[in-house]
Amino acid sequence: LTREGFSTVPDVTWGDVGGLDHLRRELNTYIIRPIKNPEIYKAFGANLETGFLLYGPPGCGKTLVAKAVANEAGANFIHIKGPELLQKYVGEAERAIRTVFQRARTSSPCILFFDEVDALTTKRGTEGGWVVERFLNQFLAELDGGERRNVYVIGATNRPDVIDSAFMRPGRFGNLVYVPLPNADERVSILKSIAKKKPLDPSVDLDAIAKKCEGFSGADLAGLMDRAIHVAVEEKFKPSEIDSSDCTLKMTHFEQAIHVAVEE
Ligand code: ATP
């Protein structure tokens, strides 16, 4: 496996994630706390083989949350992109999935994150479900794997409907959680987390911006921030004499950015 198969503790924290409070609580209960306090769970004989399937529209924080979980738990993080795993290993997919779990076990505690997991778990006989039966069985076997030993799996998908139900059992990707588009309050919370390290002028009203961004995903809001920055930078280069004294983002920059975004 190349780059994405490596394990590291990510630098994303809960502070970088806006909204998604319900999901945070679940992941804290079922993954972070068990990793941090194994003795308690052991004493009760709790079953620690938990896996989550996060589903919903793109760009709403599924990857971000998975990374934050690893960071908060002090665990390693392995990011597997479903389609890439298959492409890279045509004819070798079974070996690849075994290697992934082996690597996760040797870097435990570990969060094993499968992006676009539908590519690896598609129902047999579904259109596009060219994943061979043997691969599916191997993946299921790895998920059960006797004891996963401090390896927690999180899958992400925009297409939960095509996933073979065998993958949704407890101990596999058994906890299904919807990650929706953010509402207005959540958009404020996301904007706050995105704006944390940005030079905001007091004229910037994040509540008003959030109200105007109905239907935006977290990724759209991050894009809006980038565009506002671009507008502000452009302004600096317009006059013949560049004024570097007031490098802040103003409400007008966001308004222009929203204007462009809404027109697109
Ligand atoms: P996909 O289904 O396309 O993989 P995803 O749900 O995994 O999408 P992320 O990759 O987590 O989405 O989000 C993309 C980017 O959008 C993040 O890096 C971040 O900048 C921003 N973002 C999305 N959701 C949030 C959120 N809830 N809080 C803060 N930033 C967010």
Side-chain angles (χ1 to χ4, degrees):
L1 290 176
T2 50
R3 207 166 42 88
E4 88 270 16
F6 280 117
S7 61
T8 47
V9 179
D11 57 9
V12 175
T13 70
W14 280 147
D16 298 314
V17 182
L20 305 177
D21 295 341
H22 166 73
L23 180 57
R24 285 183 204 217
R25 276 197 299 277
E26 291 254 317
L27 293 168
N28 187 46
T29 303
Y30 289 105
I31 300 186
I32 299 174
R33 269 195 339 219
I35 291 178
K36 285 172 131 173
N37 312 280
E39 66 293 345
I40 309 246
Y41 290 79
K42 216 174 186 172
F44 282 100
N47 183 3
L48 292 181
E49 287 178 13
T50 312
F52 280 83
L53 180 65
L54 312 182
Y55 73 102
C60 289
K62 297 183 285 297
T63 309
L64 203 64
V65 156
K67 285 184 177 168
V69 166
N71 175 296
E72 298 290 329
N76 280 306
F77 183 80
I78 297 181
H79 190 165
I80 302 297
K81 299 193 173 101
E84 281 182 20
L85 182 109
L86 291 183
Q87 272 159 24
K88 221 172 282 167
Y89 290 89
V90 177
E92 281 191 64
E94 288 157 68
R95 182 138 58 98
I97 196 75
R98 246 190 342 256
T99 308
V100 163
F101 277 88
Q102 253 162 25
R103 193 160 290 174
R105 280 191 296 271
T106 56
S107 24
S108 81
C110 183
I111 308 295
L112 190 44
F113 178 66
F114 292 95
D115 210 353
E116 297 181 63
V117 72
D118 44 284
L120 304 175
T121 54
T122 301
K123 280 177 200 150
R124 297 149 173 118
T126 315
E127 193 199 337
W130 55 279
V131 178
V132 286
E133 181 107 12
R134 275 171 50 191
F135 174 79
L136 293 177
N137 290 336
Q138 182 69 44
F139 195 177
L140 290 170
E142 291 297 336
L143 285 167
D144 296 343
E147 229 190 295
R148 277 215 306 271
R149 267 170 281 160
N150 246 339
V151 173
Y152 291 81
V153 291
I154 302 179
T157 183
N158 309 321
R159 300 282 325 266
D161 53 306
V162 300
I163 294 181
D164 192 310
S165 58
F167 284 92
M168 317 280 236
R169 291 200 201 127
R172 298 171 180 171
F173 296 99
N175 299 297
L176 193 63
V177 184
Y178 182 52
V179 181
L181 279 175
N183 63 27
D185 287 343
E186 289 159 342
R187 291 198 294 276
V188 175
S189 159
I190 293 171
L191 283 167
K192 279 187 184 149
S193 61
I194 294 171
K196 237 177 8 191
K197 289 173 195 146
K198 304 286 191 267
L200 288 197
D201 178 81
S203 67
V204 175
D205 180 349
L206 295 180
D207 292 272
I209 295 171
K211 278 209 188 80
K212 287 187 186 150
C213 295
E214 182 74 47
F216 277 45
S217 67
D220 294 333
L221 293 171
L224 183 77
M225 175 65 71
D226 289 340
R227 197 184 297 274
I229 290 171
H230 182 71
V231 171
V233 169
E234 279 299 298
E235 234 176 58
K236 287 286 167 201
F237 287 98
K238 266 189 200 142
S240 51
E241 195 76 15
I242 295 172
D243 172 16
S244 58
S245 64
D246 179 20
C247 287
T248 58
L249 290 165
K250 304 201 172 50
M251 192 60 178
T252 53
H253 301 137
F254 283 95
E255 276 157 1
Q256 288 178 60
I258 292 171
H259 189 70
V260 177
V262 170
E263 284 203 337
E264 268 174 358

